[in-house]
Amino acid sequence: MRELFWNASEGRLRAGWRLLLAFFATGMAAWGVGTVLAAVAGGGLWVGVVAATIGITSGVWAASRGLDRRPLVDLGLRIDREWWADLAFGLALGVALAGVVFTMEIVLGWVVVTGHTVDSSPDLGFVPMFLATTALFVAVAWYEELAFRGYLICNLAEGTRGLWGRRSAVAAGVVASAALFSAGHAANPNATVEGAVGILAAGLLIGFAYAWTGSLALPIGLHVTWNLAQGAIFGLPVSGVTTPARWIVVEERGPDLWTGGPFGPEAGLTGVAAMAIGAAAVFVWVRLRRGEVSLRLSIAEPPDR
């Protein structure tokens, strides 16, 4: 019976139980921080993001150290020159892909520019609100990538490597994390089946960027600027949400099948096309930087005892 819970050779709980406890720890931490912040500052989007950032970061750190017996850097946060290069490429790629979507929809007449520099807080002003929106997207990308790509893929791959081998375990971890990433957006405003498929595709793109590099740098950079450029620069919905500040204001007139409608490009074929271009770009980048494109099998290895 003890073997169902405890991996004697690794001296720790088995991966499934670690994931359950980590999920509970991060959820309780986010809830606790959110409760305190709500009592002090009230509710709202910003309170939720701050609570999630603190709660998930602290929960993943505690789970990584206490359950996995590994430092947080082993999840893909080993900062070196290569890490910064991957981050810069991810940031540039996110802007480029959102630009492809926007350009395609403008050329085809599916969106029309109706204004510029609009924000949800006229008293604060556009520039401060734009900077605050940038900080919001940085925070969201940080905690989602840390949880869904760093912690989840690593533990899923470790837990299944004995069944399928390391390569298949890493690939399965990417697919499973993408599915959970999609499910995590199911409660977003204007959520649709098409949106769920699009978020799944985004999860696969970012997941393989992590699995090919073994680093969270490229996933974080791509996640930040895909959201930021799509919403705060080009004025399109971001997973069903209208951003607090928009440099360009647009009116959508195209078919929802292509534009994604109120959910945004993730629910449309333009977004899926951009993700396919992104996957090709990441493949080429990894090939040029590392000489080959292959899954980092070290992701499926347990930490040294």
Side-chain angles (χ1 to χ4, degrees), residues 57-154:
T57 301
S58 60
V60 170
W61 175 83
S64 182
R65 296 295 297 175
L67 298 174
D68 297 356
R69 311 288 177 83
R70 63 159 56 88
L72 203 60
V73 295
D74 283 1
L75 299 182
L77 293 171
R78 194 171 300 280
I79 311 300
D80 54 20
R81 182 177 296 179
E82 194 169 75
W83 199 93
W84 289 111
D86 284 344
L87 178 66
F89 175 74
L91 291 169
L93 181 61
V95 174
L97 295 180
V100 166
V101 171
F102 180 74
T103 301
M104 187 184 307
E105 295 188 1
I106 282 286
V107 169
L108 293 171
W110 292 341
V111 296
V112 176
V113 176
T114 60
H116 60 88
T117 58
V118 169
D119 65 85
S120 61
S121 177
D123 294 336
L124 186 61
F126 176 76
V127 172
M129 183 56 72
F130 184 89
L131 294 175
T133 302
T134 301
L136 182 149
F137 283 132
V138 169
V140 170
W142 160 259
Y143 68 70
E144 288 191 347
E145 294 311 311
L146 181 64
F148 283 101
R149 255 58 68 175
Y151 192 81
L152 188 57
I153 291 178
C154 187

Coordinates of all heavy atoms in Angstrom, one line a residue, residues 57-154:
T57 N 3.2 31.6 -7.2 CA 4.6 31.6 -7.0 C 5.1 31.0 -5.7 O 5.9 30.1 -5.7 CB 5.2 33.1 -7.1 OG1 4.8 33.6 -8.4 CG2 6.7 33.0 -7.0
S58 N 4.4 31.4 -4.6 CA 4.8 30.8 -3.4 C 4.4 29.3 -3.3 O 5.2 28.5 -2.7 CB 4.2 31.6 -2.2 OG 2.7 31.6 -2.3
G59 N 3.2 29.0 -3.8 CA 2.8 27.6 -3.8 C 3.7 26.7 -4.6 O 4.1 25.6 -4.2
V60 N 4.1 27.1 -5.8 CA 5.0 26.3 -6.6 C 6.4 26.2 -6.0 O 7.0 25.2 -6.0 CB 5.1 26.9 -8.1 CG1 6.2 26.2 -8.8 CG2 3.8 26.7 -8.8
W61 N 6.8 27.3 -5.4 CA 8.2 27.3 -4.7 C 8.1 26.3 -3.6 O 9.0 25.5 -3.4 CB 8.5 28.7 -4.2 CG 9.8 28.7 -3.4 CD1 11.1 28.7 -3.8 CD2 9.9 28.5 -1.9 NE1 11.9 28.6 -2.8 CE2 11.2 28.5 -1.6 CE3 8.9 28.5 -0.9 CZ2 11.7 28.5 -0.3 CZ3 9.4 28.4 0.4 CH2 10.7 28.4 0.7
A62 N 7.1 26.3 -2.8 CA 7.0 25.4 -1.6 C 6.9 24.0 -2.1 O 7.5 23.1 -1.5 CB 5.7 25.8 -0.8
A63 N 6.1 23.7 -3.2 CA 5.9 22.4 -3.7 C 7.2 21.9 -4.3 O 7.6 20.7 -4.1 CB 4.8 22.3 -4.7
S64 N 7.9 22.8 -5.0 CA 9.2 22.4 -5.6 C 10.2 22.0 -4.6 O 10.9 21.0 -4.7 CB 9.7 23.5 -6.5 OG 10.8 23.2 -7.2
R65 N 10.3 22.8 -3.6 CA 11.3 22.5 -2.5 C 10.9 21.4 -1.6 O 11.7 20.5 -1.3 CB 11.5 23.8 -1.7 CG 12.2 25.0 -2.5 CD 13.5 24.7 -3.0 NE 14.5 24.5 -1.9 CZ 15.7 24.1 -2.0 NH1 16.2 23.8 -3.2 NH2 16.5 24.0 -1.0
G66 N 9.6 21.5 -1.1 CA 9.2 20.5 -0.1 C 8.8 19.2 -0.6 O 9.0 18.1 0.0
L67 N 8.2 19.1 -1.8 CA 7.7 17.9 -2.3 C 8.6 17.3 -3.4 O 8.9 16.1 -3.4 CB 6.3 18.1 -2.9 CG 5.2 18.5 -2.0 CD1 3.9 18.8 -2.8 CD2 4.9 17.5 -0.9
D68 N 9.0 18.1 -4.3 CA 9.9 17.6 -5.4 C 11.3 17.5 -5.0 O 12.1 16.7 -5.7 CB 9.8 18.5 -6.6 CG 8.4 18.6 -7.2 OD1 7.5 17.9 -6.7 OD2 8.2 19.4 -8.1
R69 N 11.7 18.2 -4.0 CA 13.1 18.2 -3.5 C 14.1 18.8 -4.6 O 15.2 18.3 -4.9 CB 13.6 16.8 -3.2 CG 12.7 16.0 -2.2 CD 12.7 16.6 -0.8 NE 11.8 15.9 0.1 CZ 12.0 14.7 0.7 NH1 13.2 14.1 0.5 NH2 11.2 14.2 1.5
R70 N 13.6 19.9 -5.2 CA 14.5 20.6 -6.2 C 14.3 22.1 -6.1 O 13.3 22.6 -5.6 CB 14.0 20.2 -7.7 CG 12.6 20.6 -8.0 CD 12.5 20.6 -9.6 NE 12.8 19.4 -10.2 CZ 11.9 18.4 -10.4 NH1 10.7 18.5 -10.0 NH2 12.3 17.3 -11.0
P71 N 15.4 22.8 -6.5 CA 15.2 24.3 -6.5 C 14.3 24.8 -7.6 O 14.2 24.1 -8.6 CB 16.7 24.8 -6.7 CG 17.3 23.6 -7.4 CD 16.7 22.4 -6.9
L72 N 13.8 25.9 -7.4 CA 12.8 26.5 -8.4 C 13.5 26.7 -9.8 O 12.9 26.5 -10.8 CB 12.3 27.8 -7.9 CG 11.0 28.3 -8.5 CD1 9.8 27.3 -8.3 CD2 10.6 29.7 -8.0
V73 N 14.8 27.0 -9.8 CA 15.5 27.2 -11.1 C 15.5 26.0 -12.0 O 15.6 26.1 -13.2 CB 17.0 27.7 -10.8 CG1 17.0 29.0 -10.1 CG2 17.8 26.6 -10.0
D74 N 15.4 24.8 -11.4 CA 15.4 23.6 -12.2 C 14.1 23.4 -13.0 O 14.0 22.6 -13.9 CB 15.5 22.3 -11.3 CG 16.9 22.1 -10.8 OD1 17.8 23.0 -11.2 OD2 17.2 21.2 -10.1
L75 N 13.1 24.3 -12.8 CA 11.9 24.2 -13.6 C 12.0 25.0 -14.9 O 11.1 25.0 -15.7 CB 10.7 24.8 -12.8 CG 10.3 24.0 -11.5 CD1 9.1 24.7 -10.9 CD2 10.1 22.5 -11.8
G76 N 13.2 25.6 -15.1 CA 13.4 26.4 -16.3 C 13.8 27.8 -16.1 O 13.6 28.7 -17.0
L77 N 14.3 28.1 -14.9 CA 14.6 29.5 -14.5 C 16.1 29.7 -14.2 O 16.5 30.5 -13.4 CB 13.8 29.9 -13.2 CG 12.3 30.0 -13.5 CD1 11.5 30.2 -12.1 CD2 11.9 31.2 -14.4
R78 N 16.9 28.9 -14.9 CA 18.4 29.0 -14.7 C 18.8 30.2 -15.6 O 18.9 30.1 -16.8 CB 19.1 27.7 -15.1 CG 20.5 27.7 -14.7 CD 21.1 26.3 -14.9 NE 20.4 25.3 -14.1 CZ 20.6 25.1 -12.8 NH1 21.5 25.8 -12.1 NH2 19.9 24.2 -12.2
I79 N 19.1 31.4 -15.0 CA 19.3 32.6 -15.8 C 20.7 32.6 -16.3 O 21.7 32.7 -15.5 CB 19.0 33.8 -14.9 CG1 17.6 33.7 -14.2 CG2 19.1 35.1 -15.8 CD1 16.5 33.6 -15.2
D80 N 20.9 32.7 -17.6 CA 22.2 32.8 -18.2 C 22.1 33.6 -19.5 O 21.0 34.1 -19.8 CB 22.9 31.5 -18.4 CG 22.1 30.5 -19.2 OD1 21.1 30.9 -19.9 OD2 22.3 29.3 -19.1
R81 N 23.1 33.7 -20.3 CA 23.0 34.5 -21.5 C 22.0 33.8 -22.5 O 21.3 34.6 -23.2 CB 24.4 34.5 -22.2 CG 24.5 35.3 -23.5 CD 25.9 35.4 -24.1 NE 26.7 36.1 -23.2 CZ 28.0 36.3 -23.4 NH1 28.6 35.8 -24.5 NH2 28.8 36.9 -22.5
E82 N 22.0 32.5 -22.6 CA 21.0 31.9 -23.4 C 19.6 32.1 -23.0 O 18.7 32.3 -23.8 CB 21.3 30.4 -23.4 CG 20.6 29.6 -24.5 CD 21.1 28.2 -24.7 OE1 20.7 27.3 -23.8 OE2 21.9 27.9 -25.6
W83 N 19.4 32.2 -21.7 CA 18.0 32.5 -21.2 C 17.6 33.8 -21.6 O 16.4 34.0 -22.1 CB 18.1 32.4 -19.6 CG 16.7 32.3 -19.0 CD1 16.2 31.1 -18.6 CD2 15.8 33.3 -18.6 NE1 14.9 31.3 -18.0 CE2 14.7 32.7 -18.0 CE3 15.8 34.7 -18.7 CZ2 13.6 33.4 -17.5 CZ3 14.7 35.4 -18.3 CH2 13.6 34.8 -17.7
W84 N 18.4 34.8 -21.6 CA 18.0 36.2 -22.0 C 17.8 36.3 -23.5 O 16.9 37.0 -23.9 CB 19.1 37.2 -21.6 CG 19.1 37.4 -20.1 CD1 20.1 37.1 -19.2 CD2 18.1 38.1 -19.3 NE1 19.8 37.4 -17.9 CE2 18.5 38.1 -17.9 CE3 16.9 38.7 -19.6 CZ2 17.8 38.6 -16.9 CZ3 16.1 39.2 -18.6 CH2 16.6 39.2 -17.2
A85 N 18.6 35.5 -24.3 CA 18.4 35.5 -25.7 C 17.0 34.9 -26.1 O 16.3 35.4 -26.9 CB 19.5 34.7 -26.4
D86 N 16.7 33.8 -25.4 CA 15.4 33.2 -25.6 C 14.2 34.1 -25.2 O 13.2 34.1 -25.9 CB 15.3 31.8 -24.8 CG 16.1 30.7 -25.5 OD1 16.5 30.8 -26.6 OD2 16.3 29.7 -24.8
L87 N 14.4 34.8 -24.1 CA 13.4 35.7 -23.7 C 13.2 36.8 -24.7 O 12.0 37.2 -25.0 CB 13.8 36.3 -22.3 CG 12.8 37.4 -21.7 CD1 11.5 36.7 -21.4 CD2 13.4 38.1 -20.5
A88 N 14.3 37.4 -25.2 CA 14.2 38.5 -26.2 C 13.5 38.0 -27.5 O 12.6 38.7 -28.0 CB 15.6 39.0 -26.5
F89 N 13.8 36.8 -27.9 CA 13.2 36.2 -29.1 C 11.7 36.0 -28.8 O 10.9 36.3 -29.7 CB 13.8 34.9 -29.5 CG 13.1 34.2 -30.6 CD1 13.3 34.7 -31.9 CD2 12.3 33.1 -30.4 CE1 12.6 34.1 -33.0 CE2 11.7 32.5 -31.5 CZ 11.8 33.0 -32.8
G90 N 11.3 35.5 -27.7 CA 9.9 35.2 -27.3 C 9.2 36.6 -27.3 O 8.0 36.6 -27.9
L91 N 9.7 37.6 -26.8 CA 9.1 38.9 -26.7 C 8.8 39.4 -28.2 O 7.8 39.9 -28.5 CB 9.9 39.9 -25.9 CG 10.0 39.7 -24.4 CD1 11.1 40.6 -23.8 CD2 8.7 39.9 -23.7
A92 N 9.9 39.3 -29.0 CA 9.7 39.8 -30.4 C 8.7 39.0 -31.2 O 7.9 39.5 -31.9 CB 11.1 39.8 -31.1
L93 N 8.7 37.7 -30.9 CA 7.8 36.8 -31.7 C 6.4 37.1 -31.3 O 5.5 37.0 -32.2 CB 8.2 35.3 -31.4 CG 7.3 34.3 -32.1 CD1 7.5 34.4 -33.6 CD2 7.7 32.9 -31.7
G94 N 6.1 37.3 -30.0 CA 4.7 37.6 -29.6 C 4.2 38.8 -30.3 O 3.0 38.8 -30.8
V95 N 4.9 39.9 -30.4 CA 4.5 41.1 -31.1 C 4.3 40.8 -32.6 O 3.3 41.2 -33.2 CB 5.5 42.2 -30.9 CG1 5.2 43.4 -31.8 CG2 5.7 42.6 -29.5
A96 N 5.2 40.0 -33.2 CA 5.1 39.7 -34.6 C 3.9 38.9 -35.0 O 3.2 39.2 -35.9 CB 6.4 39.0 -35.1
L97 N 3.6 37.9 -34.1 CA 2.4 37.1 -34.4 C 1.1 37.9 -34.3 O 0.2 37.7 -35.1 CB 2.4 35.9 -33.5 CG 3.6 34.9 -33.7 CD1 3.5 33.7 -32.7 CD2 3.6 34.4 -35.1
A98 N 1.0 38.7 -33.2 CA -0.2 39.5 -33.1 C -0.3 40.5 -34.2 O -1.4 40.8 -34.7 CB -0.1 40.3 -31.7
G99 N 0.9 41.0 -34.7 CA 0.9 41.9 -35.8 C 0.4 41.2 -37.1 O -0.3 41.8 -37.9
V100 N 0.8 39.9 -37.3 CA 0.3 39.2 -38.4 C -1.2 39.1 -38.4 O -1.9 39.3 -39.4 CB 0.9 37.8 -38.4 CG1 0.2 36.8 -39.4 CG2 2.4 37.8 -38.8
V101 N -1.8 38.8 -37.2 CA -3.3 38.6 -37.1 C -3.9 40.0 -37.4 O -4.9 40.0 -38.2 CB -3.6 38.2 -35.7 CG1 -5.1 38.3 -35.5 CG2 -3.2 36.8 -35.4
F102 N -3.4 41.0 -36.8 CA -4.0 42.4 -37.0 C -4.0 42.8 -38.5 O -4.9 43.3 -39.0 CB -3.3 43.4 -36.1 CG -3.9 44.8 -36.2 CD1 -5.1 45.1 -35.7 CD2 -3.1 45.8 -36.9 CE1 -5.6 46.4 -35.8 CE2 -3.6 47.1 -37.0 CZ -4.8 47.4 -36.5
T103 N -2.8 42.6 -39.1 CA -2.6 43.0 -40.5 C -3.5 42.2 -41.4 O -4.2 42.8 -42.3 CB -1.2 42.8 -40.9 OG1 -0.3 43.6 -40.1 CG2 -1.0 43.2 -42.4
M104 N -3.6 40.9 -41.2 CA -4.5 40.1 -42.0 C -6.0 40.6 -41.9 O -6.7 40.7 -42.9 CB -4.4 38.6 -41.5 CG -5.2 37.6 -42.4 SD -5.1 35.9 -41.7 CE -3.3 35.7 -41.5
E105 N -6.4 40.9 -40.7 CA -7.8 41.3 -40.5 C -8.1 42.7 -41.0 O -9.2 43.0 -41.5 CB -8.2 41.2 -39.0 CG -8.1 39.7 -38.5 CD -8.7 39.6 -37.1 OE1 -9.1 40.6 -36.5 OE2 -8.7 38.4 -36.6
I106 N -7.1 43.6 -40.9 CA -7.2 44.9 -41.5 C -7.3 44.8 -43.0 O -8.2 45.4 -43.7 CB -6.1 45.8 -41.1 CG1 -6.2 46.3 -39.7 CG2 -5.9 47.0 -42.0 CD1 -7.3 47.4 -39.5
V107 N -6.4 44.1 -43.6 CA -6.4 44.0 -45.1 C -7.7 43.4 -45.6 O -8.2 43.8 -46.7 CB -5.2 43.1 -45.5 CG1 -5.3 42.8 -47.0 CG2 -3.9 43.9 -45.3
L108 N -8.2 42.4 -44.9 CA -9.4 41.7 -45.4 C -10.7 42.5 -45.0 O -11.8 42.0 -45.3 CB -9.5 40.3 -44.8 CG -8.4 39.4 -45.4 CD1 -8.4 38.0 -44.6 CD2 -8.6 39.1 -46.9
G109 N -10.6 43.6 -44.3 CA -11.7 44.4 -43.9 C -12.5 43.8 -42.7 O -13.7 44.2 -42.5
W110 N -11.9 42.9 -41.9 CA -12.6 42.3 -40.8 C -12.5 43.1 -39.6 O -13.3 42.9 -38.6 CB -12.0 40.9 -40.6 CG -12.3 39.9 -41.7 CD1 -13.2 40.0 -42.6 CD2 -11.6 38.7 -41.9 NE1 -13.2 39.0 -43.5 CE2 -12.2 38.1 -43.1 CE3 -10.5 38.0 -41.3 CZ2 -11.8 36.9 -43.6 CZ3 -10.1 36.8 -41.9 CH2 -10.8 36.2 -43.0
V111 N -11.6 44.1 -39.5 CA -11.6 45.0 -38.4 C -11.4 46.4 -39.0 O -10.7 46.6 -40.0 CB -10.5 44.7 -37.3 CG1 -10.8 43.4 -36.6 CG2 -9.1 44.8 -37.9
V112 N -12.0 47.4 -38.3 CA -11.8 48.8 -38.8 C -11.3 49.6 -37.6 O -11.9 49.5 -36.5 CB -13.1 49.4 -39.3 CG1 -13.0 50.8 -39.6 CG2 -13.6 48.6 -40.5
V113 N -10.3 50.4 -37.8 CA -9.8 51.3 -36.7 C -10.8 52.4 -36.4 O -11.1 53.1 -37.4 CB -8.4 51.8 -37.0 CG1 -7.9 52.8 -35.9 CG2 -7.4 50.7 -37.2
T114 N -11.2 52.6 -35.2 CA -12.2 53.6 -34.9 C -11.7 54.7 -33.9 O -12.3 55.7 -33.6 CB -13.5 53.0 -34.3 OG1 -13.1 52.3 -33.1 CG2 -14.1 52.1 -35.3
G115 N -10.5 54.5 -33.3 CA -9.9 55.4 -32.4 C -8.6 55.0 -31.9 O -8.0 54.0 -32.4
H116 N -8.1 55.7 -30.9 CA -6.8 55.3 -30.3 C -6.6 55.9 -28.9 O -7.4 56.7 -28.4 CB -5.6 55.9 -31.2 CG -5.7 57.4 -31.3 ND1 -5.0 58.2 -30.4 CD2 -6.2 58.2 -32.2 CE1 -5.2 59.5 -30.7 NE2 -6.0 59.5 -31.8
T117 N -5.7 55.3 -28.2 CA -5.3 55.7 -26.8 C -6.5 55.8 -25.9 O -6.8 56.9 -25.4 CB -4.5 57.0 -26.8 OG1 -5.2 58.1 -27.4 CG2 -3.2 56.8 -27.5
V118 N -7.2 54.7 -25.7 CA -8.4 54.6 -24.8 C -8.0 53.8 -23.6 O -7.3 52.8 -23.7 CB -9.6 54.0 -25.6 CG1 -10.7 53.7 -24.6 CG2 -10.1 54.9 -26.6
D119 N -8.4 54.2 -22.4 CA -8.2 53.5 -21.2 C -9.4 53.5 -20.4 O -10.3 54.3 -20.5 CB -7.0 54.0 -20.5 CG -7.2 55.4 -19.9 OD1 -7.8 55.5 -18.8 OD2 -6.8 56.4 -20.6
S120 N -9.4 52.6 -19.4 CA -10.6 52.4 -18.5 C -10.6 53.3 -17.3 O -11.5 53.3 -16.5 CB -10.7 51.0 -18.1 OG -9.5 50.6 -17.3
S121 N -9.5 54.2 -17.2 CA -9.4 55.1 -16.1 C -9.0 56.4 -16.6 O -7.8 56.8 -16.5 CB -8.4 54.5 -15.0 OG -8.3 55.4 -14.0
P122 N -9.9 57.3 -17.0 CA -9.5 58.6 -17.6 C -8.8 59.5 -16.6 O -7.9 60.3 -16.9 CB -10.9 59.2 -17.9 CG -11.8 58.1 -18.1 CD -11.3 57.0 -17.2
D123 N -9.0 59.3 -15.3 CA -8.3 60.1 -14.3 C -6.9 59.7 -14.2 O -6.0 60.6 -13.9 CB -9.0 59.8 -12.9 CG -10.4 60.4 -12.8 OD1 -10.7 61.3 -13.6 OD2 -11.2 59.9 -12.0
L124 N -6.5 58.4 -14.4 CA -5.1 58.0 -14.4 C -4.4 58.4 -15.6 O -3.2 58.8 -15.6 CB -5.1 56.5 -14.2 CG -3.7 55.9 -13.9 CD1 -3.1 56.5 -12.7 CD2 -3.8 54.3 -13.8
G125 N -5.0 58.3 -16.8 CA -4.3 58.6 -18.0 C -3.9 57.4 -18.8 O -3.7 56.3 -18.2
F126 N -3.7 57.6 -20.1 CA -3.4 56.4 -20.9 C -2.0 55.8 -20.6 O -1.9 54.6 -20.5 CB -3.4 56.8 -22.4 CG -3.0 55.7 -23.3 CD1 -3.9 54.6 -23.6 CD2 -1.7 55.7 -23.9 CE1 -3.5 53.6 -24.4 CE2 -1.4 54.6 -24.7 CZ -2.2 53.6 -25.0
V127 N -1.0 56.6 -20.5 CA 0.4 56.0 -20.3 C 0.5 55.2 -19.0 O 0.9 54.1 -19.1 CB 1.4 57.1 -20.4 CG1 2.8 56.6 -20.0 CG2 1.5 57.7 -21.8
P128 N 0.1 55.8 -17.9 CA 0.1 54.9 -16.7 C -0.7 53.7 -16.8 O -0.3 52.6 -16.3 CB -0.4 55.9 -15.6 CG -0.1 57.3 -16.1 CD -0.3 57.1 -17.6
M129 N -1.9 53.8 -17.4 CA -2.7 52.6 -17.5 C -2.1 51.6 -18.5 O -2.2 50.4 -18.3 CB -4.1 53.0 -18.0 CG -5.1 51.9 -18.1 SD -5.3 50.9 -16.5 CE -6.3 52.1 -15.5
F130 N -1.5 52.1 -19.5 CA -0.8 51.1 -20.4 C 0.3 50.4 -19.7 O 0.5 49.2 -19.9 CB -0.3 51.9 -21.6 CG 0.4 51.0 -22.7 CD1 -0.4 50.5 -23.7 CD2 1.7 50.7 -22.7 CE1 0.1 49.6 -24.7 CE2 2.3 49.9 -23.6 CZ 1.5 49.4 -24.6
L131 N 1.1 51.1 -18.9 CA 2.2 50.5 -18.2 C 1.6 49.5 -17.1 O 2.2 48.4 -16.9 CB 3.0 51.6 -17.4 CG 3.8 52.5 -18.4 CD1 4.5 53.6 -17.6 CD2 4.8 51.7 -19.2
A132 N 0.5 49.9 -16.5 CA -0.2 48.9 -15.6 C -0.7 47.7 -16.3 O -0.6 46.6 -15.8 CB -1.3 49.6 -14.8
T133 N -1.2 47.9 -17.5 CA -1.7 46.7 -18.3 C -0.5 45.8 -18.7 O -0.6 44.6 -18.6 CB -2.4 47.2 -19.6 OG1 -3.5 48.0 -19.2 CG2 -2.9 46.1 -20.4
T134 N 0.6 46.4 -19.0 CA 1.9 45.7 -19.3 C 2.3 44.8 -18.1 O 2.6 43.6 -18.2 CB 3.0 46.6 -19.7 OG1 2.6 47.4 -20.9 CG2 4.3 45.8 -20.0
A135 N 2.3 45.5 -16.9 CA 2.6 44.8 -15.7 C 1.7 43.6 -15.5 O 2.1 42.5 -15.0 CB 2.6 45.7 -14.5
L136 N 0.4 43.8 -15.7 CA -0.6 42.8 -15.6 C -0.3 41.6 -16.5 O -0.3 40.4 -16.0 CB -2.0 43.3 -15.9 CG -3.2 42.4 -15.7 CD1 -4.4 43.2 -15.4 CD2 -3.5 41.6 -17.0
F137 N 0.0 41.8 -17.7 CA 0.3 40.7 -18.6 C 1.6 40.0 -18.3 O 1.8 38.8 -18.5 CB 0.3 41.2 -20.1 CG -1.1 41.4 -20.6 CD1 -1.4 42.6 -21.3 CD2 -2.1 40.5 -20.5 CE1 -2.6 42.8 -21.8 CE2 -3.3 40.7 -21.0 CZ -3.6 41.8 -21.7
V138 N 2.6 40.8 -17.8 CA 3.8 40.1 -17.3 C 3.5 39.2 -16.2 O 4.0 38.1 -16.1 CB 4.9 41.2 -16.9 CG1 6.0 40.6 -16.2 CG2 5.4 42.0 -18.1
A139 N 2.7 39.6 -15.2 CA 2.4 38.8 -14.1 C 1.6 37.6 -14.5 O 2.0 36.4 -14.0 CB 1.6 39.6 -13.1
V140 N 0.7 37.7 -15.4 CA -0.1 36.5 -15.8 C 0.8 35.5 -16.5 O 0.7 34.3 -16.3 CB -1.3 37.0 -16.7 CG1 -1.9 35.8 -17.4 CG2 -2.3 37.8 -15.9
A141 N 1.6 36.0 -17.4 CA 2.5 35.1 -18.1 C 3.5 34.4 -17.2 O 3.8 33.2 -17.3 CB 3.3 35.9 -19.2
W142 N 4.0 35.1 -16.2 CA 4.9 34.6 -15.2 C 4.2 33.4 -14.5 O 4.8 32.3 -14.4 CB 5.4 35.6 -14.2 CG 5.9 35.0 -12.9 CD1 5.3 34.9 -11.7 CD2 7.2 34.4 -12.7 NE1 6.0 34.3 -10.8 CE2 7.2 34.0 -11.4 CE3 8.3 34.2 -13.6 CZ2 8.3 33.3 -10.8 CZ3 9.4 33.5 -13.0 CH2 9.4 33.1 -11.7
Y143 N 3.1 33.6 -13.8 CA 2.5 32.6 -13.0 C 1.9 31.4 -13.8 O 2.0 30.3 -13.4 CB 1.6 33.1 -11.9 CG 0.3 33.7 -12.3 CD1 -0.8 32.9 -12.8 CD2 0.0 35.0 -12.2 CE1 -2.0 33.4 -13.2 CE2 -1.3 35.5 -12.5 CZ -2.2 34.7 -13.0 OH -3.5 35.2 -13.4
E144 N 1.4 31.7 -15.0 CA 0.8 30.7 -15.8 C 1.9 29.8 -16.4 O 1.8 28.5 -16.4 CB 0.0 31.2 -16.9 CG -1.4 31.8 -16.4 CD -2.3 32.1 -17.5 OE1 -1.9 32.1 -18.7 OE2 -3.5 32.4 -17.2
E145 N 3.0 30.4 -16.8 CA 4.1 29.6 -17.3 C 4.8 28.8 -16.2 O 5.2 27.6 -16.4 CB 5.1 30.4 -18.1 CG 4.6 31.1 -19.3 CD 3.8 30.1 -20.2 OE1 4.4 29.0 -20.5 OE2 2.7 30.3 -20.6
L146 N 5.0 29.4 -15.1 CA 5.6 28.7 -14.0 C 4.8 27.5 -13.6 O 5.4 26.4 -13.4 CB 5.7 29.6 -12.8 CG 6.4 29.1 -11.5 CD1 7.8 28.7 -11.8 CD2 6.3 30.1 -10.4
A147 N 3.5 27.6 -13.6 CA 2.6 26.5 -13.1 C 2.4 25.5 -14.2 O 2.6 24.3 -14.1 CB 1.3 27.1 -12.6
F148 N 1.9 26.0 -15.4 CA 1.5 25.0 -16.5 C 2.7 24.4 -17.2 O 2.6 23.2 -17.6 CB 0.6 25.7 -17.4 CG -0.8 25.9 -16.9 CD1 -1.3 27.1 -16.4 CD2 -1.7 24.9 -17.0 CE1 -2.6 27.3 -16.0 CE2 -3.0 25.0 -16.5 CZ -3.4 26.3 -16.0
R149 N 3.7 25.2 -17.5 CA 4.8 24.6 -18.2 C 5.9 24.1 -17.3 O 6.2 22.9 -17.3 CB 5.4 25.7 -19.2 CG 5.0 25.4 -20.6 CD 3.5 25.4 -20.9 NE 2.9 26.7 -20.7 CZ 1.6 26.9 -21.0 NH1 0.8 25.9 -21.5 NH2 1.1 28.1 -20.8
G150 N 6.4 25.0 -16.4 CA 7.5 24.5 -15.5 C 7.1 23.4 -14.6 O 7.7 22.3 -14.7
Y151 N 6.2 23.6 -13.7 CA 5.9 22.6 -12.7 C 5.1 21.4 -13.2 O 5.4 20.3 -13.0 CB 5.1 23.3 -11.5 CG 5.1 22.3 -10.3 CD1 6.2 22.3 -9.5 CD2 4.0 21.5 -10.1 CE1 6.2 21.4 -8.4 CE2 4.0 20.7 -9.0 CZ 5.0 20.6 -8.2 OH 5.0 19.7 -7.1
L152 N 4.1 21.7 -14.0 CA 3.2 20.6 -14.5 C 3.9 19.7 -15.4 O 3.8 18.5 -15.3 CB 1.9 21.3 -15.1 CG 0.8 20.3 -15.4 CD1 0.3 19.5 -14.2 CD2 -0.4 21.1 -16.0
I153 N 4.5 20.2 -16.5 CA 5.1 19.3 -17.5 C 6.2 18.5 -16.8 O 6.3 17.3 -17.1 CB 5.7 20.2 -18.7 CG1 4.6 20.7 -19.5 CG2 6.6 19.3 -19.5 CD1 5.0 21.6 -20.7
C154 N 7.0 19.2 -16.0 CA 8.1 18.5 -15.3 C 7.6 17.3 -14.5 O 8.1 16.1 -14.6 CB 8.9 19.4 -14.4 SG 10.4 18.7 -13.7

